């Protein structure tokens, strides 16, 4: 009876795991650009990669410009027709012409005002800036930022010295770009991002075509250029007030706090935190994803995401004793984000998307991990009862805090089962864990024994080789001890040596 109940519960758990897997599973093709170019896409670019998104952005902008021109021409044509039809007398002509000029001036003023409103911050934003400038950061923070900026500048100059003539041109281009950006503070953050991406592309093309720099050196140069530029631009372009990044940060943090009740079992996370090594990996992954906010360069933020992801893969590998798959990685990454609740998560994602070197986001492990992080955040924002294989009623109760799933799942046995059976199963779980630890210790002990034997054999062999290479030679004596006095010719007044005498008695 107990065996059948156990098998039934195991089958239910397997079915639950499959259904949970369906709710979280993301096919690898969905991570790629939806245009089919082979690079990684991004939700911030509406599923396109950086290259395709810029092409679509330029097409949309050219289309908007064309529509604006057509509208302006149509308005002017209608005004000219109205002017021609109403021309009867000279007074009427002058009156109509003055009205036409007035209407034309008003139309121009309206267009200029609209463009200014679009590209400049509102008066409310200006008031906010004045308040924030009054609340300037402490001198220690400014001093620290200045020290870091000087350090990065010195490192950048030393790096460019290895490029000789191209290095001088690169430095001039960077200084010109920084000066241009300082005069474009009134532009929207999307246009500032567009300027940065154009600059990256132009410098990379010049390095490859004009200066014939090898591809591996081009990548290093672009990393240093990004570090130099974004260290100086960070305080102006990270979470600017003209965007709703801060609002999105607060919404994501509130959402993650509301989902504090989500357990690893609901997400089908293949990680056992009771294993000490796995627990350490989970802590390191959470630390890395939180540390991302303290970095100023997009590449350094990406490095934090990559380190976090590698710790996740190691935790899964230790738990399952086999390499982790993509289906295991994404649920675990979602769990890490829920457990860590990183600060300013959306601002960091938007900052990386806007100002990182596009080649790092389109290919390589950095781009893959970053795309998975964007998918994890999108999943958290849209997480519902079906994704966790829960009923809508239970999901609503958990979200409102009326009950906790941990209290319900703490006792998975039937009410009729006695306490002894429950204790027996707990003891069996403990014994299985102890058995796994004992096997692991035994395997480590055998490995240590083998290492000691190999070390002893190696030392013995080294000693034998040294003895054979440098054998011990005993040289003969130079002179006999009895001849010492015979060579002493200088002291001839010494008495003769004693002679043995025979005693007669």
């Amino acid at each position: 009876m107990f065996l059948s109940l156990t098998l039934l519960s195991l089958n239910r758990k397997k079915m639950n795991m499959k259904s949970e897997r369906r709710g979280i599973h993301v096919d690898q093709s969905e991570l790629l650009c939806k245009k089919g170019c082979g690079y990684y896409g991004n939700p911030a670019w509406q599923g396109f990669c950086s290259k395709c998104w810029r092409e679509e952005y330029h097409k949309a902008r050219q289309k908007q410009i064309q529509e604006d021109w057509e509208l302006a021409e149509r308005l002017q044509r209608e005004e000219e027709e109205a002017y021609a039809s109403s021309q009867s007398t000279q007074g009427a002509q002058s009156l109509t012409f003055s009205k036409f000029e007035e209407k034309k001036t008003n139309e121009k003023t309206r267009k200029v005002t609209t463009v200014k409103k679009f590209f400049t911050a509102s008066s409310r934003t200006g008031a906010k800036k004045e308040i924030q400038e009054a609340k300037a950061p402490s001198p220690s923070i400014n001093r620290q930022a200045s020290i870091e900026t000087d350090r990065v500048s010195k490192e950048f100059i030393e790096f460019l010295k290895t490029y000789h003539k191209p290095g001088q041109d690169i430095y001039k281009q960077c200084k010109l770009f920084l000066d241009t950006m300082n005069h474009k503070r009134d532009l929207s953050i999307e246009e500032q991002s567009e300027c940065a991406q154009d600059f990256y592309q132009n410098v990379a093309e010049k390095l490859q075509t004009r200066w014939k720099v090898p591809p591996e050196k081009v990548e290093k140069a672009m990393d240093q250029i990004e570090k130099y530029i974004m260290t100086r631009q960070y305080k102006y372009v990270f979470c600017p007030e003209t965007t709703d990044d801060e609002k999105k940060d607060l919404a994501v943090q509130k959402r993650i706090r509301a989902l504090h009740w989500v357990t690893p079992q609901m997400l089908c996370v293949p990680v056992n935190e009771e294993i000490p090594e796995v627990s350490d990996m989970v802590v390191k992954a959470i630390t890395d994803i939180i540390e991302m906010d303290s970095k100023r360069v997009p590449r350094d933020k990406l490095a934090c995401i990559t380190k976090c992801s590698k710790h996740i893969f190691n935790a899964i590998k230790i738990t399952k004793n086999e390499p982790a798959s993509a289906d295991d990685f994404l649920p675990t990454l979602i769990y890490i984000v829920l457990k860590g609740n990183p600060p300013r998560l959306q601002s960091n994602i938007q900052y990386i998307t806007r100002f990182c070197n596009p080649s790092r986001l389109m290919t390589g492990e950095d781009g893959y991990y970053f795309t998975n992080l964007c998918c994890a955040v999108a999943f958290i924002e849209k997480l519902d009862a079906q994704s966790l294989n829960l009923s809508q009623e239970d999901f609503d109760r958990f979200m409102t805090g009326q009950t906790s799933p941990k209290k319900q799942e703490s006792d998975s046995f039937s009410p009729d089962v006695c306490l002894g059976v429950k204790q027996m199963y707990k003891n069996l779980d403990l014994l299985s864990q102890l058995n796994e630890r004992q096997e692991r210790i035994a395997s480590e002990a055998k490995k240590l024994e083998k290492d000691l034997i190999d070390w002893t054999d190696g030392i013995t062999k080294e000693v034998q080789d040294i003895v054979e290479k440098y054998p011990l030679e005993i040289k003969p004596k130079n002179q006999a001890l009895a001849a010492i006095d015979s060579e002493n010719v200088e002291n001839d007044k010494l008495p003769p040596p004693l002679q043995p005498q025979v005693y007669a008695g």
Side-chain angles (χ1 to χ4, degrees):
M1 181 65 179
F2 286 124
L3 180 60
S4 62
L5 288 173
T6 305
L7 291 175
L8 181 61
S9 63
L10 287 174
N11 290 331
R12 286 180 178 174
K13 287 183 179 179
K14 288 181 179 179
M15 292 174 64
N16 290 338
M17 288 175 66
K18 289 181 181 178
S19 61
E20 288 170 359
R21 182 77 71 188
R22 279 197 300 270
I24 301 177
H25 173 73
V26 174
D27 193 83
Q28 294 303 299
S29 61
E30 299 178 13
L31 301 178
L32 300 176
C33 176
K34 65 181 183 181
K35 201 171 182 179
C37 63
Y39 295 116
Y40 290 119
N42 194 304
W45 296 324
Q46 300 178 3
F48 293 102
C49 67
S50 175
K51 182 180 178 182
C52 297
W53 166 249
R54 294 183 67 197
E55 292 176 357
E56 295 295 327
Y57 179 77
H58 282 301
K59 288 180 182 178
R61 188 161 62 177
Q62 291 297 328
K63 183 180 179 181
Q64 184 65 37
I65 293 173
Q66 183 66 25
E67 291 177 353
D68 292 342
W69 274 108
E70 291 176 357
L71 177 61
E73 291 176 355
R74 183 170 59 83
L75 290 173
Q76 185 175 1
R77 191 164 52 250
E78 291 176 355
E79 291 173 352
E80 290 175 352
E81 291 175 356
Y83 168 72
S85 61
S86 61
Q87 187 178 12
S88 57
T89 60
Q90 186 66 26
Q93 288 179 2
S94 60
L95 182 61
T96 306
F97 182 75
S98 62
K99 287 184 178 180
F100 172 73
E101 287 295 329
E102 182 181 358
K103 188 174 182 181
K104 193 172 182 181
T105 304
N106 292 336
E107 183 67 22
K108 286 184 179 180
T109 306
R110 184 180 64 81
K111 286 184 179 180
V112 171
T113 306
T114 305
V115 172
K116 285 185 177 180
K117 285 183 179 179
F118 181 75
F119 287 111
T120 59
S122 62
S123 58
R124 188 175 178 182
T125 306
K128 273 188 180 179
K129 286 186 177 180
E130 290 176 1
I131 294 173
Q132 285 201 348
E133 287 174 359
K135 298 179 180 179
S138 62
S140 60
I141 298 177
N142 290 332
R143 194 180 306 114
Q144 183 178 0
S146 177
I147 292 173
E148 183 178 0
T149 302
D150 294 341
R151 178 181 59 81
V152 171
S153 301
K154 291 179 181 178
E155 292 177 357
F156 185 59
I157 293 173
E158 291 297 324
F159 173 79
L160 291 180
K161 287 181 179 178
T162 60
Y163 284 72
H164 305 295
K165 176 61 176 174
Q168 298 177 4
D169 294 337
I170 292 173
Y171 186 75
K172 291 179 181 178
Q173 293 289 331
C174 292
K175 294 292 290 183
L176 180 62
F177 172 76
L178 290 174
D179 293 339
T180 304
M181 292 297 291
N182 288 332
H183 291 89
K184 292 184 177 181
R185 297 282 177 235
D186 294 336
L187 294 180
S188 65
I189 193 64
E190 286 77 16
E191 294 199 347
Q192 293 186 48
S193 171
E194 192 72 14
C195 293
Q197 298 298 328
D198 289 338
F199 175 73
Y200 290 149
Q201 184 177 356
N202 293 334
V203 174
E205 289 178 356
K206 287 181 180 179
L207 286 170
Q208 293 176 351
T209 58
R210 182 187 298 179
W211 297 314
K212 307 298 181 184
V213 178
E216 61 276 5
K217 295 190 70 175
V218 171
E219 192 68 24
K220 292 181 180 179
M222 294 307 300
D223 290 340
Q224 293 294 327
I225 290 171
E226 177 192 306
K227 184 177 181 180
Y228 174 71
I229 289 174
M230 298 316 302
T231 301
R232 294 174 174 271
Q233 294 293 313
Y234 176 79
K235 61 182 179 180
Y236 303 111
V237 298
F238 181 82
C239 191
E241 294 183 354
T242 55
T243 64
D244 58 349
D245 293 348
E246 186 177 1
K247 182 179 178 181
K248 291 180 179 179
D249 290 335
L250 296 176
V252 170
Q253 282 197 346
K254 185 178 179 181
R255 177 70 172 173
I256 292 176
R257 290 194 191 102
L259 294 170
H260 66 90
W261 49 269
V262 177
T263 61
Q265 291 76 21
M266 293 179 179
L267 296 171
C268 197
V269 175
V271 168
N272 185 7
E273 294 188 65
E274 294 182 0
I275 302 175
E277 297 179 27
V278 175
S279 179
D280 292 341
M281 292 294 175
V282 170
V283 172
K284 289 179 181 178
I286 294 173
T287 303
D288 289 332
I289 198 69
I290 292 176
E291 189 181 358
M292 174 179 62
D293 186 59
S294 64
K295 304 299 181 181
R296 298 166 64 92
V297 183
R299 178 169 171 262
D300 294 341
K301 292 181 182 290
L302 274 180
C304 292
I305 299 173
T306 301
K307 288 192 294 182
C308 169
S309 303
K310 289 183 177 180
H311 288 314
I312 290 174
F313 273 106
N314 290 333
I316 298 173
K317 183 178 180 181
I318 295 172
T319 302
K320 299 180 65 175
N321 289 326
E322 61 182 15
S325 63
D327 290 337
D328 296 328
F329 169 67
L330 184 58
T332 312
L333 179 60
I334 294 170
Y335 173 67
I336 292 297
V337 174
L338 288 175
K339 195 170 183 178
N341 196 0
R344 300 193 289 184
L345 184 57
Q346 282 288 1
S347 292
N348 283 288
I349 290 176
Q350 292 296 329
Y351 176 68
I352 294 172
T353 302
R354 292 163 181 160
F355 296 101
C356 183
N357 184 7
S359 62
R360 287 198 169 273
L361 299 184
M362 294 164 61
T363 57
E365 62 178 5
D366 290 340
Y368 173 76
Y369 295 139
F370 179 71
T371 304
N372 275 274
L373 178 62
C374 295
C375 291
V377 175
F379 177 84
I380 291 172
E381 292 175 343
K382 299 178 181 179
L383 189 142
D384 54 8
Q386 186 179 2
S387 303
L388 299 176
N389 197 31
L390 296 173
S391 63
Q392 189 62 41
E393 294 77 10
D394 291 340
F395 183 81
D396 293 337
R397 284 200 302 268
F398 297 155
M399 289 294 291
T400 55
Q402 296 178 4
T403 183
S404 173
K406 295 180 181 180
K407 295 179 181 179
Q408 294 182 357
E409 294 177 359
S410 61
D411 191 4
S412 59
F413 296 94
S414 173
D416 299 331
V417 178
C418 64
L419 295 176
V421 175
K422 297 179 182 179
Q423 188 63 37
M424 180 184 68
Y425 277 102
K426 291 181 180 179
N427 293 338
L428 286 175
D429 292 337
L430 291 175
L431 287 173
S432 63
Q433 294 176 13
L434 289 174
N435 187 25
E436 292 176 359
R437 292 179 62 183
Q438 185 178 3
E439 290 177 356
R440 190 163 61 249
I441 291 172
S443 63
E444 293 293 333
K446 289 181 180 179
K447 182 181 177 182
L448 178 61
E449 183 181 4
K450 183 178 179 300
D451 292 340
L452 288 173
I453 294 173
D454 295 340
W455 179 76
T456 305
D457 295 341
I459 293 297
T460 304
K461 188 175 182 304
E462 289 180 3
V463 171
Q464 290 178 354
D465 294 339
I466 292 173
V467 170
E468 291 176 0
K469 189 174 181 180
Y470 304 103
L472 180 63
E473 296 180 0
I474 300 177
K475 296 182 179 180
K477 299 179 181 179
N478 294 331
Q479 56 186 1
L481 295 176
I484 293 178
D485 292 338
S486 62
E487 293 179 359
N488 191 0
V489 295
E490 297 178 358
N491 299 327
D492 52 353
K493 295 182 180 181
L494 292 174
L498 296 176
Q499 298 294 330
Q501 297 180 2
V502 180
Y503 183 63

